[in-house]
Amino acid sequence: MSDLRLDDTIFADLRTTFSTISDRMEATRRTLRGADASAVGEGGLVEDVQEFADDWAYGIKQLGKHTHGAVKLINKIGESFDKLDVDLAESLRSKKKGK
């Protein structure tokens, strides 16, 4: 291989981190969706709590989508670096043979 080095564990760590964020966001969204707002008592407050939970559930869902997209990009970057490393190594080999 060439002198280009990028430890694969970097991508594995990033992938794991973003995947767990996405999973935790989904679990939180499910918890908020299932929350019993009636426990707060007064009708207006119940509505406010339900609206808050709905807004947060939507926001959390969007964050989850973005972290899932980040995992896809991390995978693509890793593949690109691997290909670049192979291409660079082949280029160096062919230059050595040409001398």
Side-chain angles (χ1 to χ4, degrees):
M1 287 290 163
S2 68
D3 289 335
L4 179 62
R5 301 267 183 228
L6 190 59
D7 191 355
D8 287 343
T9 59
I10 291 170
F11 293 115
D13 289 347
L14 283 171
R15 191 178 304 109
T16 299
T17 298
F18 278 90
S19 293
T20 59
I21 288 171
S22 185
D23 293 343
R24 287 183 286 173
M25 289 293 197
E26 179 59 25
T28 302
R29 188 178 71 82
R30 276 190 244 117
T31 300
L32 278 172
R33 186 177 56 202
D36 180 16
S38 65
V40 296
E42 199 271 317
L45 186 55
V46 169
E47 289 176 23
D48 289 345
V49 169
Q50 287 173 334
E51 185 177 326
F52 173 81
D54 290 343
D55 289 347
W56 268 97
Y58 174 78
I60 289 171
K61 184 176 182 179
Q62 295 305 307
L63 286 170
K65 284 181 183 179
H66 291 301
T67 57
H68 183 69
V71 170
K72 286 182 179 181
L73 287 174
I74 290 165
N75 289 336
K76 195 172 209 169
I77 291 167
E79 291 167 7
S80 295
F81 268 101
D82 289 344
K83 183 182 180 326
L84 181 61
D85 190 31
V86 169
D87 291 348
L88 184 57
E90 288 174 3
S91 172
L92 291 172
R93 268 188 243 120
S94 64
K95 283 187 179 186
K96 286 181 183 178
K97 288 180 184 178
K99 286 186 177 180

